[in-house]
């Protein structure tokens, strides 16, 4: 089995499934209700972490290493009890960047509950006594495990990382396993979801030996002056930031705007750029487009991702280029993937599968005829050709 080899990534063999198809018998409810639950769980976890902050440190200060071990065990148990929905049954490692095993089936909803770890910095109490504990004549620096920067003990740090990791994996699942409208709705309701996803994504990117966006930056740098590029699913707009702005124009789209580079849009619904589709049975490339190159770098995420390719066609000038980079292990069948893209009105020009992690494609827009809604629905229903990309607990 070809796996995406970046540590911590794995892809299940099961086809794309929706949250609604969760195998969990216990907790079937609409995703909207999860958002409400998110709030209260977050508060509980915050309280718990704060409790750990004071109790754990106090006990360490007072009782020394022997007792500390006991309390460590106790408090870990307490946290497990609270966030057990976030962790798999095997999830007992400490200090890991994310809890639980790989999320599958019914475990998806469970991870929702516990994946909303505290985003606030937990302040380390120096002492619970007004005199700073000096009366007990304890050495000042009794705990070697307190991190100077974060102010967290190693236990707290590990827990925070676990919760952040679980939250990232939950958002990632949502993006890959649901229709983009669901992800768009949730991110609009709570933009912190978008922020947290990208923090986790940046963390992952650091461990990759190469990044498709870096490849596109160097490739597009040599394109002619005034080339117009649409980056669909731009993330942090790394492409726009990395290309010379006076030479190339990059239009960056993602679910949430940053108020600067990024235009908010659901790329699997409508890209807010001019362009039309053929209106008759005559071969045509549509009208009014301004875009020379469309880039989709790891952004074909929602189950309705083929709509994004249809949008790419609509906004591209005649003969325009479509560049796609995807995680290699997402492909159930590369030829079927290429056929699907071609059927939307493209011709494949190049494929690069030399990289063990990503496969890169270059397509050229070609003329096509109009299609009925029924014909389009058939083409658009083939999103299962790409499997979701899931992160494993590390
Ligand atoms: N292309 C960037 C980011 C990749 S992460 C890079 O390579 O660095 C994938 C991005 O696609 C995320 O930012 C996610 O929010 C975005 N995305 C996924 N589905 C989307 C949709 N339907 N509409 C807009 N953006 C989407």
């Amino acid at each position: 089995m070809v796996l995406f080899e970046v540590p911590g990534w794995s892809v299940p063999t099961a086809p794309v499934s929706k949250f609604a198809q969760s195998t969990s018998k216990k907790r079937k409810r609409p995703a909207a209700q999860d958002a409400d639950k998110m709030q209260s769980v977050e508060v509980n976890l915050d309280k718990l972490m704060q409790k750990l902050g004071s109790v754990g440190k106090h006990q360490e200060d007072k009782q020394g290493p022997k007792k500390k071990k006991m309390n460590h065990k106790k408090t870990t148990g307490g946290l497990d009890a609270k966030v057990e929905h976030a962790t798999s049954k095997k999830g007992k490692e400490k200090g890991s960047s994310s809890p639980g095993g790989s999320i599958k089936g019914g475990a998806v909803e469970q991870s929702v509950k516990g994946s909303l770890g505290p985003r606030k910095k937990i302040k380390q109490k120096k002492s619970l006594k007004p005199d700073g504990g000096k009366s007990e004549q304890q050495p000042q620096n009794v705990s070697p495990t307190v991190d100077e920067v974060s102010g967290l003990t190693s236990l707290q740090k590990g827990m925070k990382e676990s919760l952040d990791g679980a939250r990232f994996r939950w958002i990632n699942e949502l993006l890959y396993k649901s229709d983009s409208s669901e992800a768009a709705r949730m991110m609009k309701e709570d933009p912190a979801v978008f922020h947290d996803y990208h923090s986790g994504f940046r963390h992952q990117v650091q461990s990759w030996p190469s990044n498709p966006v870096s490849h596109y930056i160097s490739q597009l740098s040599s394109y002619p002056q005034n080339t117009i590029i649409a980056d669909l699913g731009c993330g942090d707009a790394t492409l726009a930031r990395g290309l010379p702005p006076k030479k190339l124009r990059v239009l960056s789209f993602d679910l949430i705007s940053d108020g600067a580079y990024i235009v908010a849009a659901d790329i699997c619904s409508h890209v807010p750029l001019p362009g039309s589709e053929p209106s008759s049975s005559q071969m045509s490339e549509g009208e009014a487009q301004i875009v020379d190159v469309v880039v989709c770098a790891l952004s074909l995420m929602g189950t309705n991702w083929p709509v994004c390719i249809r949008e790419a066609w609509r906004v591209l000038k005649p003969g325009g280029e479509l560049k796609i980079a995807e995680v290699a292990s997402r492909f159930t069948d590369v030829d079927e993937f290429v056929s699907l893209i071609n059927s939307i009105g493209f011709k494949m020009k190049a494929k690069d599968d030399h990289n063990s992690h990503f496969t890169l494609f270059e397509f050229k827009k070609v003329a096509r005829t109009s299609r009925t809604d029924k014909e389009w629905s058939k083409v658009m229903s083939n999103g299962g050709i790409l499997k979701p990309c899931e992160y494993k607990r590390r």
Side-chain angles (χ1 to χ4, degrees):
M1 183 171 59
V2 185
L3 279 178
F4 184 48
E5 290 171 10
V6 170
W9 284 58
S10 77
V11 171
T13 47
V16 176
S17 64
K18 296 200 176 191
F19 279 129
Q21 294 165 346
S22 160
T23 54
S24 168
K25 284 176 190 157
K26 221 177 166 188
R27 304 181 65 239
K28 279 186 184 161
R29 61 163 185 257
Q33 289 179 23
D34 286 334
D36 300 335
K37 296 272 176 189
M38 286 160 75
Q39 300 288 339
S40 61
V41 171
E42 195 164 34
V43 169
N44 282 340
L45 288 171
D46 271 353
K47 279 185 193 159
L48 191 70
M49 291 294 279
Q50 272 160 9
K51 205 172 165 192
L52 279 166
S54 55
V55 174
K57 181 66 168 59
H58 187 55
Q59 301 286 15
E60 281 169 20
D61 286 352
K62 276 189 86 173
Q63 294 162 343
K66 217 174 178 183
K67 273 278 183 185
K68 181 179 139 193
K69 204 174 172 196
M70 283 174 66
N71 281 317
H72 177 108
K73 217 172 170 185
K74 194 177 170 195
T75 50
T76 304
L79 187 70
D80 282 350
K82 272 271 182 193
V83 299
E84 63 185 358
H85 297 293
T87 57
S88 82
K89 282 169 191 162
K90 291 178 202 156
K92 297 290 173 203
E93 287 172 38
K94 290 167 194 144
S96 163
S97 62
S98 48
S102 55
I103 302 167
K104 283 181 191 169
V108 171
E109 274 198 80
Q110 290 180 337
S111 70
V112 171
K113 191 176 175 191
S115 62
L116 310 161
R119 291 189 291 277
K120 288 176 220 147
K121 189 173 163 184
I122 289 131
K123 286 200 178 135
Q124 186 66 42
K125 288 186 184 169
K126 287 228 163 90
S127 168
L128 297 177
K129 303 217 169 216
D131 67 354
K134 279 176 199 153
S135 57
E136 291 180 23
Q137 295 184 336
Q138 290 283 344
Q140 290 281 311
N141 198 9
V142 284
S143 174
T145 56
V146 175
D147 183 285
E148 297 250 326
V149 182
S150 64
L152 302 179
T153 66
S154 55
L155 172 64
Q156 290 168 334
K157 226 176 146 191
M159 285 172 176
K160 186 180 181 313
E161 281 173 7
S162 289
L163 291 166
D164 286 349
R167 181 171 165 85
F168 170 69
R169 291 204 313 280
W170 172 71
I171 301 168
N172 187 63
E173 286 243 347
L174 178 88
L175 287 167
Y176 278 112
K177 292 189 174 179
S178 52
D179 186 279
S180 64
S181 57
E182 174 67 11
R185 184 193 60 74
M186 200 193 63
M187 290 201 182
K188 257 186 216 132
E189 273 173 16
D190 181 8
V193 171
F194 185 78
H195 172 265
D196 293 350
Y197 179 75
H198 285 98
S199 299
F201 184 77
R202 273 193 298 273
H203 187 75
Q204 289 295 325
V205 170
Q206 280 164 16
S207 66
W208 298 348
S210 68
N211 182 356
V213 170
S214 312
H215 166 78
Y216 289 138
I217 290 172
S218 70
Q219 191 189 51
L220 289 163
S221 296
S222 60
Y223 273 46
Q225 180 114 14
N226 294 328
T227 298
I228 297 188
I229 300 155
D231 185 5
L232 305 186
C234 63
D236 292 333
T238 310
L239 188 66
R241 291 172 210 271
L243 286 169
K246 286 197 177 133
K247 191 174 171 227
L248 305 157
R249 312 272 173 208
V250 185
L251 309 168
S252 306
F253 300 91
D254 210 298
L255 289 164
I256 298 286
S257 171
D258 63 345
Y261 286 88
I262 307 167
V263 178
D266 176 356
I267 57 170
C268 298
S269 170
H270 179 74
V271 176
L273 284 175
S276 70
E277 294 190 315
S279 53
S280 74
S281 56
Q282 278 202 324
M283 294 292 273
S284 154
E285 293 201 46
E287 288 183 306
Q289 299 94 347
I290 58 163
V291 174
D292 298 289
V293 181
V294 165
V295 173
C296 294
L298 311 178
S299 59
L300 302 178
M301 296 181 93
T303 52
N304 54 333
W305 64 263
V307 181
C308 174
I309 306 299
R310 183 178 171 185
E311 278 297 274
W313 190 95
R314 184 184 62 76
V315 304
L316 272 172
K317 282 180 188 170
E321 285 179 41
L322 168 64
K323 295 177 187 293
I324 299 176
E326 264 310 331
V327 175
S329 56
R330 288 194 66 199
F331 295 94
T332 52
D333 184 326
V334 173
D335 293 339
E336 269 187 44
F337 175 78
V338 172
S339 299
L340 174 59
I341 307 292
N342 286 349
S343 75
I344 296 169
F346 291 96
K347 189 170 182 346
M348 193 180 79
K349 289 287 170 194
K351 181 179 81 181
D352 180 356
D353 56 7
H354 291 100
N355 187 296
S356 56
H357 307 87
F358 310 108
T359 306
L360 281 73
F361 302 87
E362 307 269 335
F363 292 91
K364 183 178 184 282
K365 177 178 172 175
V366 295
R368 61 166 164 77
T369 58
S370 68
R371 287 202 180 120
T372 63
D373 287 349
K374 203 174 164 197
E375 284 167 336
W376 273 121
S377 319
K378 204 170 164 212
V379 179
M380 296 293 121
S381 66
N382 287 314
I385 287 176
L386 287 181
K387 292 183 280 188
C389 182
E390 289 182 280
Y391 291 79
K392 247 186 183 175
R393 177 181 192 237
R394 276 203 263 179

